[in-house]
Amino acid sequence: PPLVLPHRMALVVGSEHTGVSPDMLAAADKVVYLPMFGFVESMNVGVAAALIVQRLFDLCPEARGDLSAPQRQLLRAKWREAILARHGNRSYQE
């Protein structure tokens, strides 16, 4: 059966050293682990998150979203404003 994702969800990825906190694990509805084989002892957190998100999209393509071009433009503008406000860098260009 196809995977049905909730309308809203959070993906929490733990650090290599400490993982996800016990409180966050206790609050989670689902917990997944990425198996590692061979000589691999750890995985970069960004790579781990990308693998999980890609697998979710493979199993549930509808989760990719459907923002229109104007909605994407507005969202980018808001992000740009937030970045500029946080860093005080007025020369930021997309």
Side-chain angles (χ1 to χ4, degrees):
L3 179 66
V4 178
L5 296 176
H7 179 68
R8 298 180 119 198
M9 66 180 279
L11 173 64
V12 178
V13 183
S15 71
E16 181 179 338
H17 180 67
T18 59
V20 176
S21 73
D23 289 341
M24 188 60 70
L25 285 172
D29 293 324
K30 301 260 188 241
V31 177
V32 297
Y33 297 91
L34 296 176
M36 293 183 279
F37 303 99
F39 296 103
V40 177
E41 294 180 12
S42 65
M43 189 178 302
N44 175 284
V45 70
V47 171
L51 289 170
I52 294 167
V53 169
Q54 183 58 55
R55 186 65 178 142
L56 287 172
F57 287 160
D58 289 345
L59 294 171
C60 185
E62 305 81 41
R64 292 180 188 267
D66 59 355
L67 290 177
S68 66
Q71 289 172 315
R72 283 193 304 270
Q73 229 174 358
L74 180 61
L75 186 57
R76 284 186 184 122
K78 287 181 179 181
W79 283 346
R80 189 171 28 256
E81 288 173 22
I83 290 169
L84 291 172
R86 193 172 327 134
H87 298 287
N89 180 355
R90 298 294 172 211
S91 64
Y92 176 82
Q93 297 289 321
E94 187 175 293

